[in-house]
Amino acid sequence: AQSVTQPDIHITVSEGASLELRCNYSYGATPYLFWYVQSPGQGLQLLLKYFSGDTLVQGIKGFEAEFKRSQSSFNLRKPSVHWSDAAEYFCAVAGLDSGTYKYIFGTGTRLKVLA
Amino acid sequence: DSGVTQTPKHLITATGQRVTLRCSPRSGDLSVYWYQQSLDQGLQFLIQYYNGEERAKGNILERFSAQQFPDLHSELNLSSLELGDSALYFCASSVRGQNTEAFFGQGTRLTVV
């Protein structure tokens, strides 16, 4: 069965610092991987996705993520964090599970940005 | 704007009552997913429909049910409500349910008092 682990529940960084949010997944085949961001009181917005090809994917708002098959990871990075990046971030894996295409989300990482 | 519309945005109701949450997917999307987001449980998958048929069930209680209509909109029915059902309920849609991302609505915040 598919599963996603985001080991960090909360992360605090200073504005301008670099950011890395961790995501590990479990899936038998090549997964489809996503990062979503949720601002307070809002729905989830897609940041970036990986389906195949180049393992380093670029997303919106200056985010990027790298797929590492050997580590079953899909970590999200940003070189310089802005105060507006404070939000909750969800990693998701999608793929066939018992004949049905499913999206499974991690528990989320809440990012706090210090001025 | 994701193109997924959920109504109502907020709902306050008493324990024991029944409510219906509505979701209109993006134009052309055949798959609809329902999720529950609470503080202590994170984002939990409830149920998925594809072109009117139920495709997958997650952690959905027997008091909850859903359906997808011929026009592809979906409704999530919650009955015999308990205080613990208070949460954000999200609907998401995708084109065919495969090889694409899911687009989320803004959610319905349900408060049971």
Side-chain angles (χ1 to χ4, degrees):
Chain A
Q2 303 157 266
S3 68
V4 177
T5 302
Q6 292 180 247
D8 303 307
I9 298 174
H10 297 278
I11 281 188
T12 300
V13 300
S14 298
E15 191 170 20
S18 64
L19 172 70
E20 182 169 33
L21 303 183
R22 295 183 290 165
C23 172
N24 292 96
Y25 68 89
S26 173
Y27 184 63
T30 301
Y32 301 107
L33 296 161
F34 309 87
W35 275 98
Y36 287 83
V37 60
Q38 183 183 26
S39 298
Q42 301 295 312
L44 279 70
Q45 179 186 19
L46 181 71
L47 279 177
L48 47 77
K49 61 189 178 187
Y50 172 78
F51 288 163
S52 65
D54 192 347
T55 56
L56 183 63
V57 293
Q58 302 297 320
I60 62 171
K61 306 184 181 188
F63 285 92
E64 66 177 26
E66 186 171 13
F67 170 58
K68 293 186 177 179
R69 184 189 302 276
S70 62
Q71 298 177 20
S72 297
S73 69
F74 188 56
N75 294 347
L76 181 71
R77 301 193 294 249
K78 187 169 185 178
S80 178
V81 169
H82 187 263
W83 64 266
S84 61
D85 293 325
E88 188 151 22
Y89 292 80
F90 291 91
C91 179
V93 60
L96 284 175
D97 185 354
S98 304
T100 300
Y101 190 74
K102 294 179 181 176
Y103 294 89
I104 302 297
F105 286 81
T107 49
T109 297
R110 188 171 296 276
L111 174 66
K112 183 176 179 179
V113 180
L114 302 177
Chain B
D1 182 6
S2 67
V4 179
T5 303
Q6 288 188 249
T7 56
K9 286 189 170 52
H10 301 275
L11 198 50
I12 301 175
T13 190
T15 54
Q17 294 299 304
R18 171 189 168 95
V19 297
T20 297
L21 312 183
R22 183 188 169 99
C23 170
S24 294
R26 289 189 324 153
S27 177
D29 284 2
L30 300 177
S31 270
V32 169
Y33 307 80
W34 285 98
Y35 293 86
Q36 179 192 55
Q37 186 180 35
S38 55
L39 284 175
D40 56 347
Q41 294 290 323
L43 198 61
Q44 297 286 316
F45 168 68
L46 295 178
I47 197 164
Q48 176 196 355
Y49 279 83
Y50 177 78
N51 203 20
E53 294 186 3
E54 181 184 304
R55 280 297 181 93
K57 266 186 174 180
N59 301 321
I60 187 166
L61 300 172
E62 287 192 9
R63 301 182 285 107
F64 296 0
S65 65
Q67 54 185 326
Q68 187 179 28
F69 294 86
D71 67 353
L72 301 177
H73 90 272
S74 178
E75 292 181 355
L76 179 66
N77 301 296
L78 315 176
S79 61
S80 302
L81 285 167
E82 303 174 359
L83 296 178
D85 298 327
S86 296
L88 259 175
Y89 291 84
F90 285 107
C91 167
S93 72
S94 65
V95 175
R96 294 184 186 278
Q98 293 191 16
N99 304 351
T100 62
E101 62 266 38
F103 292 85
F104 281 77
Q106 296 291 295
T108 293
R109 180 171 294 283
L110 173 66
T111 303
V112 183
V113 297

